[in-house]
Amino acid sequence: MQPSRSIHLRWWQALNPAIYLVSILPGIGVWLLVQPEGKAQIGLLVATFAVVLAQHAINLLNDVADWKLGADVEKWDSWVRFHDENLGVATRHGWISFVAGGLLGLVTLVWLEKLWILLIALPLVGLGYLYNSGQKPLSYSRAGEWVTALCYGGVFGCLWLVASQELGNTIILGSLSFGSLAVALLLAHQPDQIDTDRRVNKRTFAVRFGAKKTYQAVRILFLIFFITWNVAIVTSQLHLILLIPSLIIACLVFGHSLYKAPNPKHLLYSASLPFSVMLASEMVSFSLKLTA
């Protein structure tokens, strides 16, 4: 049953700003670990915004694909509903954001003279397109979760290369960390949609394995996110003093998730806590340098 048109949806309700933390946090993570300066710092900021635009496009096009195929039509904050169920307008909105993000990213790479990163970024963009396109999008297949992990792990990797050309364990750990976080968030959405997804033959993890195993997988993936992020801090030899509070936060969040079904927004806010502590530490350190 489709929701009534009489329910007015405001733009910020459809936008759901908290979900964009999954694109912003990799940029913050790279900035904290690399601490770029000059052009690299500006390039990282702009590239992160380009990723946010790409995520916005995928959110829109995913809502359109679901509406066409009969999934998530009960979703009250769908972009399709915001556009008065006009699929053409919602699709154009999505493609404008997609093109804007792509052009912004391309200009950044040209400015930094790092066009070679396209060899990594373009396949990820292609997967993002296939995730929502056609009568059988990747998001409807068993590959949906793997594609999400690869794309968001790749986001960290590409942003790392924008800010630094150094390869090593840190870029691998960071990619694994944010890939795990993205899939944890994806799975946390799925249990409430099992009946609808099964009806339209959407082969999500929750449809295949049920809500209980899905929540177990969310907890494991979220724990992997925290563990790999803290190991990345160790390998970078930065912010080592913050390992203890970061680990405490990880334990508290994981413990809380054992007693309550993981919620996507709660997971994102929890994931943001160690980054907030580190950013605060950086600002205090910067202020002390200015006053010295």
Side-chain angles (χ1 to χ4, degrees):
M1 178 178 177
Q2 294 191 10
S4 172
R5 288 172 177 263
S6 62
I7 302 176
H8 182 64
L9 182 65
R10 293 175 173 82
W11 68 268
W12 63 83
Q13 294 172 312
L15 185 66
N16 193 3
I19 64 174
Y20 293 92
L21 285 170
V22 73
S23 291
I24 295 170
L25 289 179
I28 295 175
V30 169
W31 185 82
L32 287 167
L33 296 177
V34 178
Q35 296 187 343
E37 298 179 352
K39 288 179 65 175
Q41 189 177 69
I42 298 172
L44 176 62
L45 177 64
V46 177
T48 301
F49 182 62
V51 172
V52 171
L53 287 175
Q55 182 193 349
H56 181 60
I58 290 172
N59 291 342
L60 271 150
L61 297 175
N62 187 62
D63 282 353
V64 171
D66 282 342
W67 203 274
K68 286 180 178 178
L69 297 172
D72 282 358
V73 291
E74 78 282 0
K75 182 180 176 184
W76 76 274
D77 57 350
S78 169
W79 278 105
V80 175
R81 289 198 53 217
F82 172 78
H83 288 297
D84 296 323
E85 299 181 21
N86 189 322
L87 296 181
V89 174
T91 300
R92 285 193 292 274
H93 183 171
W95 278 109
I96 288 171
S97 182
F98 191 83
V99 172
L103 289 175
L104 194 59
L106 179 61
V107 169
T108 302
L109 295 181
V110 170
W111 183 58
L112 294 174
E113 299 180 354
K114 291 187 176 183
L115 275 174
W116 53 269
I117 295 179
L118 287 176
L119 295 174
I120 303 171
L122 285 178
L124 299 178
V125 172
L127 285 174
Y129 169 76
L130 294 173
Y131 191 79
N132 293 307
S133 67
Q135 290 299 310
K136 294 184 178 180
L138 288 176
S139 61
Y140 279 63
S141 72
R142 296 171 181 265
E145 292 82 24
W146 292 102
V147 170
T148 299
L150 187 59
C151 285
Y152 277 96
V155 163
F156 177 88
C158 288
L159 292 177
W160 177 276
L161 295 173
V162 165
S164 168
Q165 292 191 31
E166 294 183 11
L167 299 176
N169 293 331
T170 306
I171 186 175
I172 296 172
L173 289 164
S175 297
L176 178 59
S177 180
F178 286 101
S180 299
L181 175 62
V183 179
L185 295 170
L186 176 65
L187 296 187
H189 278 99
Q190 292 179 358
D192 291 338
Q193 302 167 354
I194 287 178
D195 292 338
T196 303
D197 288 345
R198 184 179 286 120
R199 188 165 60 246
V200 297
N201 200 31
K202 194 172 184 179
R203 304 301 296 163
T204 65
F205 187 95
V207 167
R208 302 197 309 271
F209 299 105
K212 183 178 180 180
K213 287 188 177 180
T214 300
Y215 285 134
Q216 290 174 346
V218 171
R219 296 180 181 106
I220 292 170
L221 287 166
F222 200 64
L223 190 59
I224 291 173
F225 158 70
F226 267 117
I227 290 173
T228 50
W229 173 248
N230 282 292
V231 176
I233 294 173
V234 174
T235 60
S236 68
Q237 297 183 344
L238 295 171
H239 304 286
L240 293 179
I241 196 173
L242 298 175
L243 272 177
I244 294 177
S246 184
L247 287 170
I248 291 173
I249 291 170
C251 292
L252 290 174
V253 171
F254 184 71
H256 181 265
S257 71
L258 293 176
Y259 296 96
K260 187 177 181 181
N263 175 278
K265 282 188 178 181
H266 174 258
L267 291 177
L268 273 172
Y269 291 141
S270 301
S272 303
L273 285 175
F275 296 90
S276 301
V277 172
M278 293 176 192
L279 282 173
S281 170
E282 285 292 321
M283 287 190 286
V284 169
S285 177
F286 182 73
S287 299
L288 291 175
K289 288 180 182 178
L290 288 179
T291 57

